[in-house]
Amino acid sequence: MGKRKVPDLYRAPFPLYSIKIDPKAGLVVLAGGGGASKTGIKNGVHFLELQLVGENQYSASLLHSHDTVTRATMNLALGDGVIAAGQDGTCSLMTFADCTQKSGDTAADNDENNVQKGNARQRGGKRNKGGKDDAAAAVTGSDMKDETAHITVTRLAELQSDLNPEDPLQKVVRFSHDLSLLLTGGTDGHIRVWEFPSLKKKLDFKAHEGEIEDLDLSPGNKHLVTVGRDFACSVWRNNQQVMSLKWHKTMPQIAEKTYRYMACRFGKVEDQKDELRLYTVQIPHKRDRKPPPCYLTKWNGKSFLPMLTAPCGAEVISSFAVSDSGTFLGLGTITGSVAIYIAFSLQRLYYVKESHAIVVTDLAFLPDTFKGQNIKGNNETALFSVAVDSRCQLHAVHNRRSFPLWLVLFFCGLVVVGLVLLLQYVFPGFF
């Protein structure tokens, strides 16, 4: 582990803020942009086809580029053929599908150009020193596929998801596991829940003072966990608060309000169907000359009692993900580093220092099945990362070498026979 060079899987012509995987359609969906500023940097959503090359290498091809005009997508969620994209203070819903398109046909997504224009929060200060040249760089790798199979994107609806009067911005969006609910959180501190696909508003309540940083809904929709910039991480049942999590209670050396919660995710427990874990990330509220560590905490997903807390480095965490199986945790930092941790022990398995040139904005693990097939190859896990440097990378952890059980037993047998012969030689008549 340490600093190493991770090749770019893909490079977009704009800063990247979100990545999601559609295992059913076999697509990698990237989104971002330069916002409403007249810098020439585009705003869009890109659809990639991923392929396994050899045992553990991957390549990506651009299938479709969807222009979002003046609105950068800062966060997104995928349903069954539906994208929920956070653009300014709204949640823009779009459908996407494979279609057969003859040469010269007009793409079905042109009507998205008529979407109401908004004032995207400026992110220019987060680009690397290359500025516009880097952010607007051409796509690397394979060119867009020249085939009859294309992706069409059609506007579905638009929801007002944040009502901050000064600078409305949707910070997070999630579909429930059963796709019956759509949840959003923004800078006004409100959680808004819509029934899906009817888009009838079900709940609207103030969960935190200030911005919502993250949220996640447990399988079965029983518990909602929210993270705010007000130092709180709360558990809700509908709009009623069940409890507030106190991670520092198990660490008396840490004073209250020296750390704030940054992210929360539910995760499965491998080989335990009915068990559930909640994982949270805590980062320092203020930065010192000697940076203190960030922390990961694992909670019981039913009682919400803390099970384990471990430090995860002094680089400030900017993004967090949990693998489908619940086996691995992914971390990205504001300095561009990427790490993979083992969920059970919270031990670091993989780390690349400053893999990206600047802040890692989103992460996504490669699903166990991808378009009905196992695409992991000879990898134990693989983690996508995207950053403001416009790059998408794939961090693969190769299967650790192991010996077959029969071979282990065979060697154990040889050792026993060897010991018997040695004792017989040293102590004649011992047996």
Side-chain angles (χ1 to χ4, degrees):
M1 294 184 292
K3 190 164 184 178
R4 70 185 85 170
K5 178 66 176 176
V6 177
D8 296 335
L9 179 72
Y10 180 78
R11 191 175 177 189
F14 46 74
L16 291 170
Y17 295 115
S18 190
I19 178 170
K20 293 295 178 284
I21 314 298
D22 187 330
K24 185 177 178 181
L27 295 173
V28 178
V29 183
L30 308 174
S37 57
K38 297 179 180 179
T39 60
I41 300 174
K42 295 182 178 181
N43 301 288
V45 179
H46 282 191
F47 296 81
L48 308 182
E49 179 185 59
L50 185 71
Q51 291 183 325
L52 178 65
V53 181
E55 290 188 347
N56 47 39
Q57 299 297 318
Y58 297 89
S59 68
S61 302
L62 177 64
L63 291 180
H64 181 68
S65 174
H66 172 66
D67 187 7
T68 56
V69 198
T70 61
R71 308 177 75 187
T73 298
M74 308 306 296
N75 46 80
L76 62 84
L78 291 186
D80 188 8
V82 177
I83 294 175
Q87 298 171 349
D88 307 327
T90 65
C91 184
S92 179
L93 291 161
M94 300 168 275
T95 61
F96 65 95
D98 290 317
C99 76
T100 301
Q101 184 179 27
K102 296 180 180 179
S103 178
D105 285 352
T106 302
D109 57 280
N110 285 340
D111 57 359
E112 180 65 20
N113 294 340
N114 297 322
V115 173
Q116 177 186 355
K117 296 181 180 180
N119 295 318
R121 178 173 287 189
Q122 299 301 312
R123 303 283 178 170
K126 289 186 176 181
R127 289 195 293 272
N128 61 354
K129 294 180 181 179
K132 176 181 173 182
D133 291 337
D134 275 356
V139 173
T140 60
S142 302
D143 295 329
M144 183 182 293
K145 291 195 131 190
D146 187 17
E147 298 175 354
T148 56
H150 293 273
I151 305 295
T152 58
V153 181
T154 307
R155 181 182 174 186
L156 181 64
E158 189 168 286
L159 304 171
Q160 191 69 36
S161 56
D162 190 72
L163 297 177
N164 188 326
E166 296 181 0
D167 190 9
L169 181 69
Q170 176 180 296
K171 296 290 295 293
V172 58
V173 58
R174 295 271 187 276
F175 280 106
S176 61
H177 289 265
D178 61 3
L179 301 180
S180 66
L181 300 172
L182 177 68
L183 303 91
T184 64
T187 57
D188 64 359
H190 278 246
I191 297 294
R192 295 178 174 87
V193 182
W194 285 268
E195 296 176 355
F196 189 80
S198 69
L199 300 182
K200 178 183 177 182
K201 186 182 285 188
K202 182 178 181 180
L203 296 171
D204 186 342
F205 62 97
K206 190 171 181 63
H208 294 274
E209 296 296 329
E211 299 184 6
I212 303 292
E213 284 290 284
D214 203 6
L215 65 86
D216 204 13
L217 190 64
S218 66
N221 306 339
K222 185 177 181 180
H223 290 114
L224 168 66
V225 178
T226 62
V227 167
R229 276 191 174 255
D230 55 359
F231 301 96
C233 181
S234 302
V235 182
W236 307 82
R237 188 169 294 168
N238 293 320
N239 59 350
Q240 300 298 312
Q241 186 174 1
V242 176
M243 63 189 301
S244 182
L245 302 185
K246 305 291 184 182
W247 79 279
H248 60 275
K249 291 292 185 182
T250 59
M251 305 187 72
Q253 75 276 17
I254 294 178
E256 191 173 1
K257 293 193 175 181
T258 56
Y259 281 78
R260 64 179 177 87
Y261 292 92
M262 176 264 161
C264 62
R265 287 291 187 281
F266 282 101
K268 297 178 182 178
V269 180
E270 198 170 18
D271 300 327
Q272 297 183 44
K273 183 179 179 182
D274 297 327
E275 290 296 315
L276 192 65
R277 297 288 180 262
L278 174 71
Y279 301 93
T280 59
V281 175
Q282 293 82 231
I283 63 175
H285 177 56
K286 295 180 179 179
R287 297 298 288 165
D288 297 328
R289 181 172 296 179
K290 183 179 179 182
C294 297
Y295 287 93
L296 277 169
T297 300
K298 178 171 67 171
W299 310 76
N300 184 293
K302 294 180 180 178
S303 67
F304 295 100
L305 294 175
M307 301 176 67
L308 181 64
T309 293
C312 52
E315 297 172 87
V316 177
I317 306 302
S318 59
S319 50
F320 182 54
V322 180
S323 66
D324 287 351
S325 64
T327 309
F328 302 103
L329 311 177
L331 294 175
T333 74
I334 63 172
T335 49
S337 302
V338 177
I340 298 175
Y341 280 70
I342 299 170
F344 175 76
S345 61
L346 301 185
Q347 291 181 319
R348 195 168 72 183
L349 174 66
Y350 171 98
Y351 173 72
V352 181
K353 183 177 177 62
E354 297 174 5
S355 184
H356 289 273
I358 200 167
V359 57
V360 177
T361 47
D362 202 9
L363 301 165
F365 278 96
L366 186 66
D368 292 333
T369 58
F370 192 76
K371 213 170 184 178
Q373 298 177 342
N374 183 354
I375 199 174
K376 287 186 178 179
N378 195 33
N379 296 312
E380 190 171 3
T381 190
L383 177 68
F384 293 90
S385 63
V386 294
V388 183
D389 62 6
S390 308
R391 293 172 168 88
C392 173
Q393 296 178 347
L394 187 56
H395 307 263
V397 177
H398 304 333
N399 281 319
R400 286 165 284 184
R401 294 180 179 180
S402 59
F403 294 100
L405 180 60
W406 67 266
L407 191 58
V408 174
L409 294 175
F410 176 74
F411 279 114
C412 288
L414 287 179
V415 170
V416 171
V417 172
L419 285 172
V420 170
L421 293 176
L422 180 61
L423 289 171
Q424 181 68 25
Y425 177 79
V426 176
F427 305 103
F430 182 80
F431 291 101

